[in-house]
Amino acid sequence: MKTHYRLLLSLLLGTLAGLAAHGYAQLEALQILNHYLLEPIGQLFLRLIFMIVVPMVMSGLILGVFQLSSHQGLARIARRTLLFTVLASSASVVIGVGLVNLAKPGVGLDISQVSHDSGSVSKIAGNAAAAKPVLQALLEIIPKNPVSAAAQALEGEMLALMFFALVFGAALAASQTSQHSRWVELLEESYAACLVIVDNAMKLAPVAVFALVFQSTFKFGYQILFSLGFYVLIVIIGLLLQQTVVYSLLLKAFTRIRPLQFFRQCREVYLQAFATASSNATLPRSLELAEQQLKLRPEIARFVLTIGSTANQNGTALFEGITVLFLAQVYGLDLSLGQQIQVVLMSILAGIGTAGVPGGSLPLIMILTQQVGIPAEGMGLILGVDRLLDMCRTTLNVSGDLVIAALVDAPEHLDAEQERQ
Ligand code: ASP
């Protein structure tokens, strides 16, 4: 059986088994099975992948920038990446805000019916309160110590690590007289070794996907969906519109790629993003796919995908826009046009600044909701369904990165073809 079918099967089986087990959640045997077998299996897989994220980002990004700088293509590629990122993020937020204003899923919702998880809410509130002012956050993109940025990369310092890799790659190109330096060889070999680790870790994926999905459905069951079903539906419709309409249009307009075929080639990566709810945990596999199956140019794939895993999160941006306006509707707040525009802009920025880990966007939502005057407890409303929505928005985040990598790569293909003719 092909890998993506195996992953899909594990996803379905994990969901069904978790839902069935949720009804017997008090059974000690089930709790023991979950705690001592399924949780460790899921963690084992995630840890194996997370283990190589930092070496892969470092070697991939330095190499990508080195190669692009050596060919004087860096500025052009960076410009195109930024342009498409802003375009795709803006489209996703506009879709989200449009849908939530049209359908009004929060109007008339009875808050008392929905579970509150005050422990988690105060934890997120604590994280949000610890958030730095914008100027300081911008300054801290330049790390004082790249080693500590690497150590903190998976706790939100990814941008700082990337900044270091960008500067280092460009400086390496400026200081080298030939393409064959020992540094470059070392980085190429490290990158290749990371790919071998991904390949081997992926052998565990079908079992791990079962375990990860089981835990979510086992914990929350499907009852929660009934009270928040409309909101969940609106988020999912928004994500699907972005994936099927916006991405297809972008691919058609700027490349010769057939969207359906492209999406089909990406299936396995989508499934991994869905199961892990983490762009970072999916990055190694996306890099492999982009280079080996999609045949994108390695230096472009490495540059765009690595940066995109943190800086291009269309699903997160769409989700944030919908959620803030949904909560405003629930609490009967009438947001002015100015406030709505603020939500749109902040959601686009949030899509750029969110860490690619499960629940990475929650502290940012807390900040946004507080800015427009929604009570902190509002978060308690959505926490029960957040894992499901996280899985869905992460899939779009990762899909968006691959689409942008293809868009940025396209003119290079065209140039190469024209040269050949
Ligand atoms: N889990 C998302 C990701 O990794 C981030 C988020 O929206 O919470 O892309």
Side-chain angles (χ1 to χ4, degrees), residues 277-279 313 316 354-361 390 393-394 397:
S278 168
S279 299
Q313 301 198 335
T316 296
T354 298
V357 295
S361 53
D390 198 0
R393 64 182 184 254
T394 306
N397 289 345

Side-chain angles (χ1 to χ4, degrees), residues 89-107 230-231 233-235 237-239 241-242 246 317-326 329 335 337 340-341 343-345 347-348:
S89 290
S90 312
S92 69
V93 179
V94 169
I95 289 179
V97 170
L99 278 176
V100 82
N101 274 314
L102 272 180
K104 302 203 187 315
V107 174
F230 196 24
Y231 155 70
L233 191 71
I234 295 297
V235 176
I237 291 177
L239 297 173
L241 281 176
Q242 173 83 1
V246 178
L318 183 145
F319 163 78
E320 304 224 357
I322 293 189
T323 302
V324 176
L325 297 184
F326 164 73
Q329 290 171 354
L335 298 188
L337 187 66
Q340 294 226 14
I341 292 175
V343 172
V344 170
L345 294 178
S347 301
I348 295 176

